[in-house]
Amino acid sequence: MHTLSSVEELQELNPFIIIGCGGGGEKFANFEGVEAVGFVDDDPRKHGTEFCGCTVSSSLLDLIDRTDARSVAIMLPIGAEGAALKYAVQAISEGKNVVTSFRSLPLSENTSLIKLSEQMNVKIKEISPRLDNIKKIFGVAPSRCTEVLPKINYRHRAPVVFVGGTSQECGKRTTTRLLGKEAMKRGLEVGVISTDEMGLEQPVDINFRAGSLSVMDVAAAIMGAMRYLEEEKDPDIIFVEGQSSLTERGNPHPRGLSASILIGAMPEFTVLCHRPNHPYREPRGVSEEIRAIEAIEPTRVIGISLNLRNMKDRTVIKRYEERFGLPAVDVKNGGSSRLMDVIMDCIGEI
């Protein structure tokens, strides 16, 4: 009843004042047949500037007085729910229809707005995430959008080392932990972020299952964790554990998760984990993963951590070094010290 399913429903509510001069506001104004007569934004830097052919205002009530708008579209990001609620109440109280989005103000969590709109004899509609279509396809779907974190943009102060891999179960968690221990032995203040609920062993500072978050929230979660660490302990170096792989062919589903962690970490340097002859995964390989990592984020892969479980041939380490031109180590047998030497040399370069 309150969910929009066609652009024709929007056209019936013309003309609009749009709240939010960002991506959501621009997309809404670009809907075919939608007429925008004004824009409102809380950012004072935008006031008086032109956006989508209109001058940005600081006051919704002022625009309601000065325009013939019948409706107000609230297109604000996640994290701005307080402002969205304020504007919705203002609009309805002034007898205007309201269109909102699940990002701005999900109606399932704000049923009082529906009652207020009924009292004022106006319409309130939501551009929903259409999870009903997912349920139609799979028979199951989340009850609501799982994208909930504010989209922060935090740039860390300390050097960050990302620990990626060519597949799942290739040694990322162990490598991250042992590098953290080695850095502590050298007297460094260390921050270690594990993106796995199994990251329980010291010296992990923060652990959470990144795969339980919306991919849209993962980068913000990583940035938030780094900000928290830098405020709490001012580390000299931060290690971030990756998940899965960007290129593994056997299980494509976590590849977006891997990219989101990498993007959130914004690492100066990356250590790549690999498990030769993996018994139950299908990695494409070291070269493919290095290309993917360095293409997605401006980082540099500086070493290889080999998971040699169940392998008796130790000459494989030398063969990997010769083939890829990078230091290769077995971190479970003293290799973390050599990798840390490489990391410190690279940090010295910057």
Side-chain angles (χ1 to χ4, degrees):
M1 180 179 178
H2 298 285
T3 299
L4 283 161
S5 58
S6 71
V7 73
E8 286 78 17
E9 293 176 75
L10 291 176
Q11 293 167 357
E12 291 173 2
L13 300 176
N14 272 329
F16 283 90
I17 294 169
I18 300 174
I19 311 293
C21 298
E26 184 178 45
K27 286 179 184 177
F28 190 89
N30 286 335
F31 273 128
E32 182 179 1
V34 163
E35 180 185 352
V37 294
F39 284 85
V40 176
D41 200 283
D42 283 343
D43 187 344
R45 295 171 297 181
K46 296 181 181 180
H47 298 161
T49 63
E50 187 173 298
F51 186 81
C52 295
C54 296
T55 301
V56 179
S57 174
S58 61
S59 169
L60 172 59
L61 296 178
D62 180 54
L63 277 184
I64 288 175
D65 288 339
R66 292 192 293 106
T67 68
D68 61 347
R70 293 178 56 229
S71 306
V72 173
I74 303 172
M75 298 292 121
L76 295 175
I78 287 171
E81 290 82 3
L85 181 59
K86 174 191 74 173
Y87 286 121
V89 171
Q90 282 183 357
I92 295 171
S93 299
E94 293 294 318
K96 304 301 177 183
N97 304 304
V98 170
V99 172
T100 183
S101 76
F102 65 92
R103 289 186 176 92
S104 301
L105 204 60
L107 295 184
S108 62
E109 298 175 18
N110 293 276
T111 54
S112 58
L113 288 177
I114 296 175
K115 293 181 180 179
L116 179 60
S117 67
E118 290 171 350
Q119 292 172 6
M120 297 299 294
N121 197 29
V122 297
K123 295 179 180 179
I124 186 165
K125 297 278 189 177
E126 178 186 76
I127 301 175
S128 84
R130 296 310 306 268
L131 295 172
D132 56 312
N133 282 331
I134 298 300
K135 190 168 185 177
K136 185 193 307 181
I137 296 167
F138 290 100
V140 64
S143 59
R144 50 159 291 173
C145 172
T146 58
E147 180 189 350
V148 296
L149 297 184
K151 298 301 175 282
I152 69 170
N153 189 10
Y154 179 74
R155 180 69 196 186
H156 50 82
R157 299 187 300 270
V160 170
V161 177
F162 173 74
V163 181
T166 59
S167 68
Q168 294 175 278
E169 289 83 38
C170 67
K172 293 182 289 293
R173 181 162 54 93
T174 299
T175 297
T176 305
R177 179 172 59 86
L178 293 181
L179 283 174
K181 280 190 170 185
E182 181 62 31
M184 290 174 67
K185 284 182 186 176
R186 301 183 184 211
L188 297 176
E189 187 68 53
V190 178
V192 179
I193 299 171
S194 171
T195 53
D196 187 349
E197 76 278 15
M198 304 293 243
L200 303 173
E201 300 165 282
Q202 294 301 315
V204 171
D205 293 284
I206 297 173
N207 80 301
F208 59 91
R209 186 177 185 272
S212 294
L213 299 173
S214 159
V215 170
M216 288 290 287
D217 283 343
V218 171
I222 300 297
M223 292 179 196
M226 291 192 295
R227 180 174 65 184
Y228 176 83
L229 282 180
E230 295 201 316
E231 290 173 351
E232 290 293 312
K233 61 188 300 188
D234 192 23
D236 299 309
I237 188 170
I238 298 174
F239 296 97
V240 179
E241 173 197 357
Q243 290 297 317
S244 187
S245 158
L246 295 172
T247 63
E248 183 182 350
R249 63 168 63 88
N251 184 8
H253 303 290
R255 284 162 65 178
L257 171 64
S258 181
S260 298
I261 298 171
L262 172 62
I263 290 165
M266 294 184 286
E268 281 78 13
F269 307 109
T270 293
V271 170
L272 183 64
C273 300
H274 179 62
R275 187 172 181 177
N277 302 322
H278 205 307
Y280 48 92
R281 296 295 179 191
E282 300 176 54
R284 281 196 173 97
V286 171
S287 296
E288 291 81 354
E289 194 71 23
I290 290 174
R291 282 198 298 269
I293 288 171
E294 294 182 346
I296 285 178
E297 189 67 22
T299 185
R300 178 158 58 99
V301 177
I302 59 173
I304 300 171
S305 173
L306 292 173
N307 180 340
L308 300 182
R309 183 178 296 177
N310 303 325
M311 286 194 69
K312 296 180 180 179
D313 181 8
R314 313 302 291 184
T315 63
V316 67
I317 296 176
K318 184 177 180 181
R319 294 203 302 272
Y320 270 82
E321 287 199 343
E322 292 173 347
R323 180 178 175 185
F324 299 106
L326 291 170
V329 304
D330 175 2
V331 290
K332 295 197 79 171
N333 289 286
S336 58
S337 177
R338 184 176 177 214
L339 263 187
M340 198 63 214
D341 287 340
V342 174
I343 291 168
M344 295 305 295
D345 286 344
C346 291
I347 290 174
E349 292 175 8
I350 62 170

